[in-house]
Amino acid sequence: MEITQFDRQKYGRELLIDCGKISENPHFFVTDNPFTVDFFEIFLILEGKGEFFLNEVSTQYEPGTVLFLPPGKIRQWGEQTETDVQYLIFEEEFIQRFFKDPLFLYRLEFFFFDKPFFLQLNPTENEFYQGLMRNIQTEIDSLRTDSDHLLRAFLYQGLIKLNRTFQAQHQLTDAHYDNSLALDFRMALEENYVQKHQVQDYCELLNISKTTLNSKIHAAFGKHAGDMIRERLVQEAKQQLMHSKEPVSQIAYDLQFNEVSNFNRLFRKLTGMSPGDFRSHFTN
């Protein structure tokens, strides 16, 4: 499956953020084909009802639903009525260039943690976020030399307020927000999960003891480091099983398992079925 890349030169100069309505942009369309991208997406549903899949997880949407879609994960529209979406997309670099907090996006509940990837806005919230996106779109439509700064300010405000709304709706705490070690681990895991399968690998990367790492991870995410490593490997395996025709053995080797039997054992332990049965269930 090809990965759609961000068009940095769409507006005749480098710009790492974009905003608009799907109905007004012919290169954006709602299709039932699976797809993936290399940038962050936030979809605010304006019209229509239906089902949306992120990897193998689905959610129902209606007007006022917000979908949070991080890069690399497979998206797919399910059955739906005629849908229109206000989209906000951006590259991580757009945030990192200015705010100098490499963990900022990892502090947001809705992009990186094992939580729902949606929220439902009430009318007041819906009006506010639609207004914020209109401000972003208006600024993009009339770019000036200082537009990057204003666009970052709009995006920063929107992400923080969305995170607060998300936490309130899903009854979450922000225990992980200032737990920099836990966030460092989460970032290291995303960058190294294929090559590094052992907790000790991450202890060495982060220069921390196993006891301290597990304590911080459990405080932030309610699970231990080893659990998160294994879950990330199986999550990637699920994507490949559903959206590629590679044999199970090749997927196991791509994920750097020494033995296919070890891969099969882990997959069955976490999903309750073999890789082959999983593929048959989700592709038939």
Side-chain angles (χ1 to χ4, degrees):
M1 179 184 303
E2 292 187 2
I3 299 177
T4 300
Q5 296 183 329
F6 195 95
D7 184 357
R8 294 182 168 213
Q9 299 295 329
K10 176 181 174 181
Y11 295 98
R13 50 163 273 198
E14 185 180 75
L15 189 67
L16 306 185
I17 185 172
D18 198 8
C19 189
K21 291 182 181 179
I22 284 180
S23 60
E24 298 172 355
N25 291 270
H27 62 288
F28 270 87
F29 55 94
V30 175
T31 171
D32 59 2
N33 296 322
F35 63 101
T36 187
V37 303
D38 69 351
F39 45 86
F40 291 87
E41 297 180 300
I42 298 176
F43 290 169
L44 172 55
I45 306 298
L46 302 176
E47 297 178 10
K49 295 183 179 181
E51 184 176 23
F52 191 89
F53 295 85
L54 186 64
N55 290 349
E56 76 280 6
V57 180
S58 69
T59 189
Q60 300 293 319
Y61 68 82
E62 61 185 37
T65 302
V66 182
L67 303 176
F68 302 99
L69 312 173
K73 295 190 177 183
I74 295 172
R75 298 103 151 94
Q76 187 169 12
W77 297 93
E79 293 185 5
Q80 49 96 25
T81 60
E82 189 169 345
T83 296
D84 196 14
V85 172
Q86 182 84 36
Y87 64 85
L88 172 61
I89 63 177
F90 61 94
E91 288 200 357
E92 181 173 359
E93 186 181 345
F94 187 69
I95 288 287
Q96 306 296 23
R97 281 184 184 179
F98 184 75
F99 292 112
K100 302 185 185 303
D101 177 3
L103 297 176
F104 172 71
L105 290 172
Y106 289 81
R107 300 183 197 277
L108 304 174
E109 298 272 7
F110 45 74
F111 276 142
F112 286 100
F113 306 118
D114 298 328
K115 305 291 193 306
F117 64 93
F118 70 93
L119 64 81
Q120 186 65 40
L121 303 177
N122 62 40
T124 301
E125 293 166 340
N126 194 357
E127 182 178 355
F128 172 81
Y129 291 115
Q130 284 196 45
L132 183 61
M133 289 187 177
R134 283 195 298 270
N135 288 340
I136 293 173
Q137 187 172 355
T138 298
E139 187 64 24
I140 290 174
D141 289 341
S142 55
L143 287 173
R144 300 174 59 165
T145 55
D146 59 358
S147 287
D148 278 15
H149 296 286
L150 185 55
L151 289 168
R152 284 192 187 93
F154 284 143
L155 179 61
Y156 196 56
Q157 177 192 23
L159 291 175
I160 290 176
K161 290 187 73 66
L162 281 167
N163 196 52
R164 291 178 178 180
T165 304
F166 185 90
Q167 287 179 323
Q169 185 166 128
H170 295 291
Q171 299 181 332
L172 304 172
T173 69
D174 58 358
H176 71 275
Y177 194 93
D178 292 321
N179 190 336
S180 293
L181 178 59
L183 297 173
D184 282 336
F185 169 77
R186 191 65 179 86
M187 180 182 289
L189 178 60
E190 286 300 311
E191 295 173 350
N192 296 282
Y193 68 89
V194 173
Q195 298 82 18
K196 299 183 183 298
H197 296 188
Q198 305 301 320
V199 174
Q200 187 58 39
D201 295 330
Y202 294 91
C203 292
E204 293 172 2
L205 276 176
L206 302 174
N207 193 28
I208 199 74
S209 72
K210 185 175 180 179
T211 299
T212 300
L213 178 62
N214 272 323
S215 175
K216 293 290 187 179
I217 296 304
H218 194 271
F221 307 122
K223 58 186 71 175
H224 293 106
D227 297 324
M228 294 185 67
I229 295 168
R230 290 184 286 272
E231 288 171 3
R232 185 65 184 88
L233 285 164
V234 169
Q235 179 188 74
E236 180 61 27
K238 286 178 177 179
Q239 290 193 54
Q240 295 192 33
L241 287 165
M242 289 190 295
H243 301 288
S244 81
K245 295 183 179 180
E246 293 285 354
V248 171
S249 59
Q250 186 59 53
I251 292 173
Y253 291 133
D254 287 346
L255 293 174
Q256 298 192 14
F257 282 82
N258 292 330
E259 300 289 342
V260 177
S261 59
N262 293 336
F263 170 73
N264 289 339
R265 190 178 303 112
L266 174 63
F267 194 93
R268 183 181 290 276
K269 181 178 180 181
L270 268 64
T271 68
M273 62 180 74
S274 70
D277 289 342
F278 178 88
R279 171 175 271 168
S280 297
H281 179 76
F282 282 97
T283 58
N284 293 333

